[in-house]
């Protein structure tokens, strides 16, 4: 009862919708998995999965695609979370990409994303035989995502064909697939960035501390602050890390994630700051700027 | 403030280039949702793809697929999110092209309000009508008629009023609760987020004010309790719960529930959630119910209020929006999903196709992509449902191709067809059996079908005279006579002919109930409608008699001078001349009136009736 009163009618509705979608995915598919990327959206998704199957546990494992370039704090948060909740966590890295020394710095963000994220994800899904994967993507993030279904059909090879999407009426999801085909499922489709933070605050959901402002070593690049998270980040001529109060709106591979200067060290402060923000969260993600329609291309190839 | 904020889901629809995407872009921009970096990217995009010249092309914000940006059209639904201090909004921007109507329906299925855009320079287009009809069919009850591009017609009040009046006339039968007409310019921002000084003659609210204020509460909580069981939660030996989302109504611990399909009853023991047990849950909440008794319940079942059971039937009539690339074929099996239940279903008959620009019903043999038709369906297992008009969540289904798994149709159930399942018909002690026994006869409908001038009425008249003389209680229904009264609002288009026969059939059915022998003389040119009559009546009570004379003979007879007029072009849709006659393939009787006299034909009918024990 207390839980319900914590939420506005709007958030309660979003929560119920997401729980219904999680249950549907778990029932309708042979071997589902939850793609856990450690960020705030994944934290919300995981929290909802715990609620959806209560008093049981989510009937699927978590999968993290580790590019080896995530923030160290993300990895420790990931392992602590799986342990705390007693959930099965699968971690997959593209060994071939690692052997080829693909990295976000010298390989470029496009190739790095292609090999270490998209291909790695396809490998992991195929290796474990997952036929459905939950993800925390939201339609308000990006314009090709705005067009995607909640139950998003993928053909053989995990291909997304945006022109052949199945009509999705009410919550009458068409969950039928053939062997070799799969489904990506997005329970947070109708959530906005505001909703995610409001919900995190209302439900007191743990998130990676990188979302809160702290003094961190950073360098200025492409108009954003890049954190020097370990010794692998080569400094350019004349570049010296400086300590700034910064936080992250989105988290990914650290050399590709731009921080913003901020003094917001608490959830209410983050929410207040965000309401005044005039720039979108994905701006901090360098991979979206690889070219027009780049997200759509990546998604067609199997990216989340 | 935040606690009271509710959600309005709406769609924008209309024809291509009416400015749908521009309107949403304008709303997002003026509500401060478009971030600076998005805005910068948009400026660059506008210069590359724009169809607007120098101005910012908001449509590029929404047309997020490469194919859309290259072609400058919207292909798929885009969902956008914005909020004002009093309301959150989810808007579905839907395609205008006819070939993407199915995507438009996708957006409409979850919306409670539709903005129908009309280009003031063009007026109402077929696509505006088509979208309005689909919105109506999908249960949208609130409409905003946004008459756009007012700037291009100098904010002409008379033109605005004329379009609005034309729309209201057209939409009168669509069941919308309210239609609010607004003069706007999406590109210039007039009457979108503030009242425009250019329309001093307009006294209504601006668009955003209306969207914030409009009351769309469907009040699902006040409807009967419906709980489609999504999942059986059995984490251990001790716990067995039924997880799902309340489709409608409310439920409290201790309340009686019933399994819709079987009538098995129990009580709710607990309403379980991760936040603790609830004393009560209402429509829209996702919960897990445990019951006081062990009853066999699986995913796909529906728990309901015992006092208000839904219909359970394996046959029903539904409006079907066809979305498949291949046409809908009666007789083919499809997968059907309703609630959380899947079964195999077949369209047993296509009653008629809806001509969506005129709202006329027409005879049809198949549905093409984006067609809407009234169908009868038959399922492998009985389903529990409510009429869609009463409950969207429990009255909608989809059809899925068994082989390609393509979603081929959306269906909105009208009613069950298994007569005993749901009809709470008033039961009178003096019933048809009592009446027909008192008359000492078996009721039957003798249906004379054939071309004008083939001799239907003449033969029916002779048969009735003979039956009457023998003490039988009869009544003749004649096409011309009915058209002078009950059907005097109908013309001779295919749609009206279908309706004419439907009414004749219903009247005949009442007379049969009254215990009478009924003789119907109607051209009734379409097989589908004659089949409808057969299905309308109990088995054996419909005798199809083909009164068959060659068209040349009918023309030569021309007792009413109609063929002469038709050939002179004075009568459109005249059967045999400018409108088809579908001859019966297997009539119960075949009277060749070119070869026999009317008396001989009447005697053939009487002989058949004697064989059935109906005439003596």
């Amino acid at each position: 009862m207390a839980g319900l009163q914590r939420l506005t009618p709007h958030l309660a509705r979003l929560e119920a919708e997401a729980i219904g979608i999680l249950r549907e995915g778990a029932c309708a598919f042979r071997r589902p998995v939850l793609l856990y990327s450690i960020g705030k959206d994944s934290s919300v998704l995981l929290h909802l999965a715990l609620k959806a199957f209560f008093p049981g546990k989510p009937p699927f494992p978590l999968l993290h695609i580790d590019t080896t370039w995530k923030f160290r704090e993300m990895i420790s948060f990931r392992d602590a979370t799986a342990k705390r909740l007693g959930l099965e966590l699968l971690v997959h890295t593209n060994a071939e990409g690692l052997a080829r020394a693909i990295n976000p710095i010298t390989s470029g963000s496009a190739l790095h994303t292609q090999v270490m994220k998209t291909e790695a994800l396809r490998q992991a899904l195929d290796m474990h035989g997952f036929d459905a994967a939950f993800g925390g993507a939201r339609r308000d993030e990006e314009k090709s995502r705005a067009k995607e279904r909640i139950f998003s059909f993928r053909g053989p090879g995990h291909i997304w064909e945006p022109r052949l999407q199945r009509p999705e009426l009410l919550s009458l999801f068409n969950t039928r697939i053939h062997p070799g085909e799969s489904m990506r499922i997005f329970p947070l489709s109708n959530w906005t960035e505001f909703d995610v933070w409001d919900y995190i605050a209302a439900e007191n959901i743990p998130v990676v501390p990188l979302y809160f402002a702290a003094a961190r070593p950073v360098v200025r690049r492409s108009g954003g602050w890049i954190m020097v998270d370990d010794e692998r980040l080569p400094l350019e001529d004349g570049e010296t890390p400086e300590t700034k109060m910064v936080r992250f709106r989105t988290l990914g591979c650290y050399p590709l994630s731009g921080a913003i200067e901020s003094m917001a060290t608490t959830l209410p402060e983050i929410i207040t700051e965000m309401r005044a923000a005039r720039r979108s969260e994905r701006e901090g993600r360098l991979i979206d700027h690889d070219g027009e329609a780049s997200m759509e291309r990546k998604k067609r190839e199997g990216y989340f | 403030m935040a606690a009271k904020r509710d959600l309005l889901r709406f769609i924008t629809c209309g024809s291509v280039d009416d400015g749908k995407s521009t309107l949403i872009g304008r709303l997002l921009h003026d509500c401060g949702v478009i971030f600076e970096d998005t805005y910068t990217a948009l400026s660059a995009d506008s210069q590359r793809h724009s169809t607007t010249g120098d101005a910012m092309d908001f449509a590029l914000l929404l047309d997020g697929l490469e194919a859309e940006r290259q072609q400058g059209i919207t292909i798929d639904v885009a969902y956008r999110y914005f909020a004002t201090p009093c309301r959150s909004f989810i808007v579905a921007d839907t395609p205008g092209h006819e070939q993407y109507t199915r995507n438009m329906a996708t957006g409409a299925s979850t919306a409670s309000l539709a903005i129908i855009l009309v280009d003031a320079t063009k007026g109402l287009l077929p696509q505006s009508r088509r979208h309005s009809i689909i919105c109506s069919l999908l249960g949208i009850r609130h409409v905003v008629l946004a008459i756009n591009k007012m700037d291009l017609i100098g904010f002409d009040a008379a033109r605005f009023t004329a379009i609005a009046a034309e729309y209201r006339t057209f939409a009168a039968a669509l069941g919308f609760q309210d239609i609010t007409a607004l003069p706007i310019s999406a590109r210039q921002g007039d009457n979108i987020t503030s009242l425009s000084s250019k329309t001093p003659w307009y006294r209504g609210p601006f668009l955003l004010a209306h969207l914030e204020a409009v009351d769309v509460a469907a009040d699902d909580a006040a409807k009967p309790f419906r709980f489609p069981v999504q999942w059986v939660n059995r984490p251990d030996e001790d716990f067995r719960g039924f997880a799902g989302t309340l489709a409608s109504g409310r439920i409290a611990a201790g309340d009686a529930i019933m399994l819709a399909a079987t009538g098995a009853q129990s009580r709710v023991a607990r309403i379980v959630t991760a936040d603790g047990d609830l004393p009560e849950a209402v429509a829209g909440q996702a919960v897990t119910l445990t019951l006081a008794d062990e009853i066999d319940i699986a995913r796909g079942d529906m728990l309901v209020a015992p006092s208000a059971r839904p219909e359970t039937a394996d046959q029903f009539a539904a409006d079907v929006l066809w979305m498949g690339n291949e046409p809908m074929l009666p007789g083919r099996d499809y997968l059907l999903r309703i609630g959380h239940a899947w079964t195999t279903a077949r369209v047993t008959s296509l009653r008629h196709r809806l001509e969506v620009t005129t709202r006329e019903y027409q005879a049809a043999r198949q549905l093409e992509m984006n067609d809407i038709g009234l169908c009868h369906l038959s399922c492998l297992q009985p389903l529990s449902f409510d009429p869609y008009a009463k409950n969207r969540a429990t009255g909608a289904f989809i059809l899925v191709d068994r082989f390609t798994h393509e979603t081929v149709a959306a269906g909105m159930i009208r009613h069950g067809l298994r007569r005993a399942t749901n009809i709470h018909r008033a039961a009178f002690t003096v019933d048809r059996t009592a009446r027909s026994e008192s008359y000492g006869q078996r009721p039957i409908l003798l249906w004379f079908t054939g071309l004008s001038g083939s001799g239907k009425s003449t033969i029916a008249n002779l048969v009735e005279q003979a039956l009457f003389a023998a003490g039988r209680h009869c009544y003749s229904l004649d096409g011309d006579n009915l058209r002078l009264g009950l059907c005097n609002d109908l013309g001779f288009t295919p749609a009206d002919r279908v309706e004419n026969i439907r009414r004749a059939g219903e009247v005949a059915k009442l007379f049969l109930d009254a215990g009478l022998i009924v003789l119907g003389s109607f051209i009734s040119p379409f097989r589908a409608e004659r089949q409808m009559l057969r299905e309308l009546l109990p088995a054996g009570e419909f005798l199809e008699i083909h009164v068959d004379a060659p068209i040349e003979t009918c023309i030569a007879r021309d007792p009413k001078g109609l063929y002469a007029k038709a050939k002179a072009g004075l009568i459109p849709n005249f059967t045999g001349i400018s409108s088809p006659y579908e001859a019966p393939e297997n009539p119960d009787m075949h009277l060749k009136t070119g070869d026999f006299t009317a008396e001989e034909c009447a005697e053939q009918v009487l002989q058949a009736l004697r064989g059935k024990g109906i005439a003596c």
Side-chain angles (χ1 to χ4, degrees):
Chain A
M1 199 61 200
L4 288 174
Q5 285 167 345
R6 277 204 301 274
L7 300 179
T8 61
H10 176 64
L11 285 180
R13 184 197 292 250
L14 289 173
E15 180 189 71
E17 181 189 60
I19 286 175
I21 294 163
L22 281 156
R23 287 172 175 168
E24 186 64 24
C27 298
F29 295 92
R30 195 174 37 79
R31 184 139 165 75
V33 66
L34 187 147
L35 283 205
Y36 179 68
S37 65
I38 321 173
K40 63 185 188 305
D41 304 304
S42 284
S43 295
V44 167
L45 190 59
L46 182 55
H47 183 79
L48 289 163
L50 295 171
K51 284 193 158 191
F53 304 98
F54 179 86
K57 281 192 178 176
F60 41 74
L62 313 183
L63 171 65
H64 178 231
I65 301 302
D66 193 348
T67 62
T68 72
W69 288 91
K70 301 293 173 190
F71 291 90
R72 287 173 299 166
E73 273 187 272
M74 289 173 74
I75 301 301
S76 52
F77 181 87
R78 174 194 76 188
D79 295 340
T81 300
K83 195 173 170 196
R84 173 170 57 87
L85 301 174
L87 298 174
E88 183 189 359
L89 170 71
L90 306 168
V91 177
H92 179 81
T93 300
N94 184 349
E96 189 200 326
L98 212 56
R100 284 165 58 199
I102 301 292
N103 69 81
I105 297 158
T106 54
S107 314
S109 68
L111 183 65
H112 172 73
T113 300
Q114 166 73 25
V115 175
M116 299 308 285
K117 294 171 90 171
T118 308
E119 284 176 16
L121 174 59
R122 292 201 309 233
Q123 286 170 356
L125 295 176
D126 290 343
M127 186 170 79
H128 295 281
F130 293 123
D131 56 350
F134 295 104
R138 311 185 316 266
R139 285 177 178 149
D140 82 324
E141 282 180 69
E142 195 275 335
K143 60 192 165 198
S144 69
R145 290 225 191 271
K147 300 261 170 181
E148 191 162 9
R149 304 288 186 257
I150 294 172
F151 280 71
S152 186
F153 173 78
R154 301 297 153 112
H158 308 277
I159 301 299
W160 183 54
E161 185 42 77
R163 300 191 70 165
L164 295 179
Q165 295 200 84
R166 295 172 171 180
E168 201 161 78
L169 291 113
L170 299 157
S171 46
L172 294 169
F173 302 114
N174 177 355
T175 50
R176 296 291 170 133
I177 55 170
H178 288 293
E181 299 169 343
S182 62
M183 199 69 83
R184 303 282 170 92
I185 307 171
F186 303 107
L188 305 184
S189 286
N190 287 325
W191 295 52
T192 66
E193 190 186 8
F194 291 120
D195 297 328
V196 166
W197 281 116
D198 285 345
Y199 188 72
I200 286 169
E203 294 281 293
N204 203 14
I205 300 170
V207 292
V208 183
L210 292 161
Y211 286 112
F212 300 98
R216 296 186 171 100
V218 290
V219 291
R220 187 87 180 150
R221 285 194 189 165
S222 326
W225 293 105
I226 299 296
M227 183 167 156
V228 187
D229 195 46
D230 58 33
E231 69 296 338
R232 290 181 295 173
L233 187 76
L235 296 178
E236 288 158 19
D237 284 347
E239 209 176 44
T240 341
E242 49 188 312
T243 301
K244 285 260 175 202
M245 281 294 282
V246 294
R247 67 178 188 87
F248 295 85
R249 282 178 79 181
T250 58
L251 296 175
C253 296
Y254 82 81
L256 299 178
S257 300
I260 53 168
E261 289 182 60
S262 169
M263 299 301 284
T265 56
T266 64
L267 273 176
E269 283 169 9
I270 286 178
I271 292 171
T272 307
E273 193 175 272
M274 193 180 46
R275 292 209 184 274
R278 294 296 305 133
R279 308 187 78 76
S280 75
E281 63 182 316
R282 294 200 77 85
E283 191 191 33
R285 292 196 189 174
L286 300 182
I287 60 165
D288 281 357
H289 301 291
D290 293 343
E292 187 184 323
S294 65
M295 176 62 85
E296 181 183 345
R297 287 212 186 103
K298 284 198 285 286
K299 281 159 56 62
R300 280 169 185 259
E301 290 162 3
Y303 182 72
F304 225 82
Chain B
M1 175 184 76
K4 285 188 184 154
R5 208 179 70 182
D6 70 340
L7 176 72
L8 175 70
R9 292 190 76 138
F10 68 97
I11 64 167
T12 54
C13 42
S15 199
V16 185
D17 293 333
D18 284 346
K20 296 179 298 296
S21 301
T22 310
L23 175 67
I24 297 177
R26 170 63 66 182
L27 276 172
L28 295 176
H29 177 261
D30 289 4
C31 289
V33 177
I34 302 180
F35 291 114
E36 277 173 33
D37 54 311
T38 314
Y39 198 79
T40 312
L42 179 62
S43 308
D45 283 356
S46 294
Q47 285 169 8
R48 202 170 320 138
H49 295 288
S50 181
T51 52
T52 60
D54 303 339
M56 199 64 110
D57 190 349
F58 290 113
L60 292 174
L61 267 184
L62 297 133
D63 291 339
L65 301 178
E66 271 181 275
E68 295 179 316
R69 298 154 78 81
Q70 282 159 9
Q71 297 174 48
I73 58 164
T74 307
I75 292 172
D76 211 333
V77 195
Y79 295 93
R80 290 285 154 170
Y81 305 80
F82 65 99
T84 65
C86 31
R87 216 169 212 181
S88 295
F89 299 94
I90 301 179
V91 51
D93 179 32
T94 63
H97 277 274
E98 194 175 323
Q99 69 186 109
Y100 302 118
T101 297
R102 57 185 187 170
N103 294 336
M104 183 253 154
T106 297
S109 73
T110 49
S112 42
L113 178 144
I115 299 182
I116 308 274
L117 266 120
V118 175
D119 182 336
T121 64
K122 295 182 192 157
L124 292 188
L125 296 175
Q127 206 51 347
S128 332
R129 296 192 173 90
R130 165 185 282 270
H131 285 168
S132 299
I133 288 168
I134 293 170
C135 286
S136 159
L137 208 61
L138 284 164
I140 292 178
R141 293 290 167 261
H142 307 274
V143 166
V144 170
L145 181 70
I147 301 179
N148 191 23
K149 306 193 186 179
M150 287 298 292
D151 51 318
L152 299 182
I153 58 160
F155 296 93
D156 179 358
R159 177 84 178 126
F160 167 80
T161 310
I163 294 173
E166 187 190 352
Y167 185 83
R168 284 181 201 283
T169 307
F170 157 74
L174 294 184
F176 296 135
Q177 268 176 39
D178 51 74
I179 298 170
T180 304
L182 285 149
I184 64 163
S185 165
R187 185 136 292 149
Q188 316 258 329
D190 293 288
N191 290 325
I192 309 287
T193 51
S194 61
L195 275 179
S196 169
S197 58
K198 295 169 200 149
T199 52
W201 43 267
Y202 171 70
R203 293 175 193 284
F206 53 90
L207 180 60
L208 189 60
H210 177 69
L211 294 177
E212 284 183 321
V214 63
D215 179 14
V216 295
D219 210 4
D220 287 334
K223 293 176 185 168
F225 169 68
R226 299 282 185 261
F227 187 78
V229 175
Q230 188 174 16
W231 182 57
V232 182
N233 190 353
R234 269 172 304 183
D236 55 52
E237 297 291 303
D238 302 328
F239 189 88
R240 179 178 159 86
F242 304 99
T245 302
L246 274 82
S248 62
R250 48 181 67 238
I251 193 78
D255 280 357
I257 57 96
M258 176 182 273
L259 184 58
T262 65
Q265 292 202 45
S266 183
R267 287 187 179 279
V268 173
R270 294 170 57 199
I271 302 173
V272 178
T273 78
D275 297 306
D277 284 9
L278 304 180
E280 189 188 49
V282 298
Q285 276 182 271
V287 296
T288 300
L289 304 179
T290 64
L291 302 181
D293 309 278
E294 287 239 345
I295 40 179
D296 184 21
I297 297 171
R299 169 170 161 88
D301 285 335
M302 182 152 69
L303 303 182
V304 302
S307 57
R309 266 178 97 170
E311 290 186 53
T312 296
D314 57 4
Q315 292 180 48
F316 52 84
D319 294 297
V320 168
L321 168 60
W322 196 253
M323 302 170 162
N325 293 306
E326 299 284 317
M328 184 275 275
L329 298 175
R332 175 175 290 182
D333 284 345
Y334 298 98
L335 297 169
L336 179 147
R337 177 179 190 159
I338 181 167
H340 299 300
W342 285 91
T343 182
T344 299
R346 172 182 297 182
V347 175
T348 49
S349 66
L350 171 58
R351 315 308 307 177
H352 48 243
R353 191 176 69 85
L354 181 65
E355 176 50 55
V356 285
T357 48
T358 58
R359 281 198 78 243
E360 283 181 338
Y361 289 104
Q362 299 186 340
R365 295 214 171 76
Q366 61 183 38
L367 293 179
E368 305 286 343
M369 191 202 283
N370 298 320
D371 279 350
I372 295 167
L374 176 62
C375 297
H376 284 182
L377 290 98
S378 168
C379 302
L380 217 55
Q381 291 107 18
L383 301 173
S384 300
F385 57 84
D386 293 292
Y388 185 80
K390 290 198 175 149
N391 198 325
R392 262 170 132 175
T394 53
F397 62 89
I398 55 169
L399 296 180
V400 171
D401 187 282
R402 287 192 305 158
F403 304 102
T404 65
H405 291 160
E406 183 191 2
T407 304
V408 291
M412 283 71 66
I413 298 180
R414 287 198 184 182
H415 52 79
L417 292 176
R418 209 18 100 66
R419 282 168 176 71
T421 52
N422 188 51
I423 308 169
H424 305 292
R425 198 179 275 281
F428 293 100
T429 315
V430 182
D431 59 8
R432 61 182 292 152
T433 314
R435 272 189 287 265
S436 53
E437 275 173 7
S438 119
Y439 292 147
Q441 64 183 35
R442 247 179 62 208
I444 192 166
L445 171 60
L446 309 177
W447 190 264
F448 298 85
T449 171
L451 295 168
S452 178
S454 60
K456 299 181 297 295
S457 301
T458 310
I459 297 169
N461 190 32
L462 290 169
V463 173
E464 187 179 16
Q465 281 179 40
L467 289 171
F468 188 77
R472 296 287 180 252
H473 300 264
C474 315
Y475 193 82
S476 270
L477 289 172
D478 177 87
D480 284 346
N481 293 354
L482 234 58
R483 282 183 176 278
L484 291 172
L486 179 65
C487 300
N488 69 2
D489 56 329
L490 299 177
F492 291 88
T493 61
D496 279 1
R497 287 179 188 275
V498 171
E499 175 61 13
N500 188 46
I501 299 306
R502 190 192 69 80
R503 290 187 200 174
E506 291 292 343
V507 171
K509 194 177 165 197
L510 291 176
F511 286 175
L512 291 175
D513 256 359
L516 302 181
I517 294 167
V518 184
L519 303 92
S521 306
F522 293 80
I523 298 173
S524 47
F526 302 129
R527 281 186 201 113
E529 276 57 59
R530 298 191 300 261
Q531 182 61 24
M532 173 184 80
L533 293 172
R534 192 180 288 281
E535 287 174 17
L536 185 68
L537 303 174
E541 293 195 9
F542 177 76
L543 200 72
E544 185 180 31
I545 303 167
H546 183 196
V547 184
D548 185 9
I551 180 87
E552 300 75 24
T553 310
C554 297
I555 293 172
R557 288 177 189 159
D558 202 9
K560 302 170 198 164
L562 297 175
Y563 283 100
K565 282 189 188 171
K567 286 173 110 178
L570 298 175
I571 309 177
N573 296 317
F574 194 78
T575 303
I577 302 293
S578 51
S579 186
Y581 178 78
E582 300 173 355
E585 280 163 348
N586 293 301
D588 297 297
M589 295 195 69
H590 191 170
L591 306 178
K592 299 199 169 181
T593 65
D595 302 339
F596 300 95
T597 65
E599 287 74 13
E600 286 166 341
C601 290
E603 184 50 36
Q604 288 178 36
V605 175
L606 289 165
Q607 268 182 22
L609 293 179
R610 284 184 206 110
K612 291 174 180 293
I614 287 165
C616 31

